Amino acid sequence: MINLGIIGWRGLVGSVLLNRIKNSFIYKYCKIFLFSTNKIIIKNNINNAFNIKLLKNMNIIVCCQGSDFTKSILKKIKNINWNGYWIDASSYLRMSNECSLILDPLNKDDLIKKLKYKKFFSGSNCTVSLTLILLKNLLKLNLVEWISTSSYQAISGAGTKLVSKLINNINKSFNLENNLLKIERNINFLFKKENPILYNAIPWIDKKVNFSQTKEEWKSAAEASKILNKKIIIDSNCVRIASLRCHSQYFMIKFNKFININNIYEIMNNEFINIIKNSENNSINLLTPYNVCGKMKIFVGRIKKSLINSKIYTMFSIGDQLLWGAAEPIKRFLEILITNLL
């Protein structure tokens, strides 16, 4: 049996991951150890995530605890010459040379090769995963010259703290009067300097990096290029909204040749996406975070030729960031890894 440790299994990504592997063959070949950093629940079958001796006994460790934990614990793991595989859900390792990004619908063959000499793997940024899976056939055929995208990101992408903040915002707003002007005045009174996520949109995610980009925007091109093993131009703008689990993205894509819209539908279609025909009814009822939440497929619609240039198409997509944006690539890589270890 393969010893599989999962750290951060109670969190948003960790809990979804556990649910995804329930019906996988992973349970057949693995003895699963659950680790927690919470001293209160470390009892019975829950293990201490700081217990290096126990972690050393794991053949595979999946960490969904966050960058700060990964940064601190990996130093100790490396000091004991642990020979297992570390799979991380945070951003800490992603651009490190010792780490490979996992997104098997695009780089499965490359990942299998790297299993022979790499020990550290990481899931990519949620919008990067959702983007590349959506556009994988277009990218495979080298049809894309550049991509400009605006993402409208769910609060779950920022973890449980922002989810709690939204719930708190909702609780505060229960007694608002049913009058727009009064609501506006009351909101300013209720939230004061809090800058709420409810009734709001925050056009800045993560810290500033080069060219006044935020780090979240920088990841789009940087991580996508690492996964594809070639440079891709993605200009991104990221906004936080009050959606719970689904990231929405507006794309403007410049192709390197003229493509008929019917060919766009045909080329883009793959097993991981659901193409929604561009109509009012379909867009309103199907192409929404509410409808897509919890679904394994990425929905895409509003596909149309741009008025700016005949080689440019625009489209709008929605995907559950806790599934294909986070947990599902890790679950699928676990299956690949375990298959190669047997």
Side-chain angles (χ1 to χ4, degrees), residues 287-309:
L287 199 60
T288 64
Y290 176 80
N291 178 66
V292 177
C293 182
K295 290 183 170 65
M296 285 304 305
K297 290 203 172 186
I298 298 166
F299 283 49
V300 59
R302 304 307 323 279
I303 302 172
K304 58 188 187 297
K305 185 175 289 188
S306 171
L307 299 177
I308 298 172
N309 186 297

Side-chain angles (χ1 to χ4, degrees), residues 52 68-82 86 92-93 98 120:
I52 300 299
D68 290 340
F69 177 83
T70 297
K71 183 178 180 180
S72 64
I73 206 72
L74 270 189
K75 293 179 182 178
K76 299 175 182 178
I77 289 286
K78 291 177 180 179
N79 286 338
I80 60 173
N81 296 316
W82 178 63
W86 182 279
Y92 177 68
L93 282 171
E98 66 179 349
F120 298 96

Side-chain angles (χ1 to χ4, degrees), residues 2-42:
I2 296 169
N3 287 341
L4 169 60
I6 300 178
I7 304 172
W9 56 278
R10 295 191 308 143
L12 292 174
V13 176
S15 58
V16 172
L17 174 63
L18 267 184
N19 187 58
R20 289 297 300 146
I21 67 175
K22 281 181 180 178
N23 297 319
S24 169
F25 67 78
I26 292 171
Y27 269 96
K28 182 178 179 181
Y29 298 106
C30 293
K31 182 177 181 182
I32 296 180
F33 296 78
L34 300 178
F35 290 84
S36 176
T37 59
N38 190 325
K39 294 180 180 179
I40 297 176
I41 69 165
I42 297 174

Side-chain angles (χ1 to χ4, degrees), residues 135-312:
L135 304 178
K136 81 180 194 73
N137 291 348
L138 296 170
L139 295 167
K140 184 178 180 180
L141 294 173
N142 294 314
L143 295 173
V144 176
E145 184 175 325
W146 53 255
I147 300 169
S148 177
T149 176
S150 291
S151 62
Y152 308 94
Q153 300 190 20
I155 56 171
S156 56
T160 55
K161 287 185 178 180
L162 201 58
V163 175
S164 297
K165 180 178 179 178
L166 176 61
I167 292 172
N168 182 260
N169 289 169
I170 293 170
N171 288 337
K172 283 184 177 181
S173 70
F174 277 156
N175 296 322
L176 293 178
E177 296 182 59
N178 189 23
N179 178 290
L180 183 59
L181 295 179
K182 289 183 178 180
I183 287 175
E184 186 178 28
R185 286 196 296 270
N186 286 336
I187 285 174
N188 291 333
F189 173 76
L190 286 173
F191 299 129
K192 298 178 182 177
K193 297 181 180 180
E194 182 184 340
N195 196 15
I197 187 67
L198 186 66
Y199 309 120
N200 207 0
I202 313 297
W204 188 283
I205 300 176
D206 215 326
K207 62 184 179 182
K208 176 185 175 181
V209 291
N210 55 322
F211 306 118
S212 296
Q213 285 182 312
T214 67
K215 189 175 181 181
E216 185 75 8
E217 293 158 352
W218 169 83
K219 291 173 185 176
S220 296
E223 293 187 19
S225 295
K226 186 172 182 178
I227 290 171
L228 297 172
N229 201 27
K230 63 180 180 181
K231 185 176 181 180
I232 182 170
I233 301 173
I234 303 178
D235 189 17
S236 179
N237 184 65
C238 300
V239 181
R240 185 76 68 194
I241 62 170
S243 170
L244 288 174
R245 287 180 55 150
C246 288
H247 287 356
S248 304
Q249 295 189 81
Y250 168 81
F251 293 96
M252 179 178 284
I253 303 171
K254 172 74 178 296
F255 295 112
N256 50 34
K257 67 178 185 179
F258 296 102
I259 306 176
N260 183 280
I261 189 159
N262 291 326
N263 289 337
I264 294 286
Y265 282 110
E266 184 179 348
I267 295 170
M268 283 190 63
N269 190 37
N270 69 60
E271 62 184 299
F272 308 113
I273 72 173
N274 188 359
I275 298 177
I276 305 300
K277 291 296 179 69
N278 191 10
S279 72
E280 179 181 359
N281 184 63
N282 286 339
S283 299
I284 292 174
N285 294 303
L286 299 178
L287 199 60
T288 64
Y290 176 80
N291 178 66
V292 177
C293 182
K295 290 183 170 65
M296 285 304 305
K297 290 203 172 186
I298 298 166
F299 283 49
V300 59
R302 304 307 323 279
I303 302 172
K304 58 188 187 297
K305 185 175 289 188
S306 171
L307 299 177
I308 298 172
N309 186 297
S310 57
K311 289 184 180 179
I312 295 177

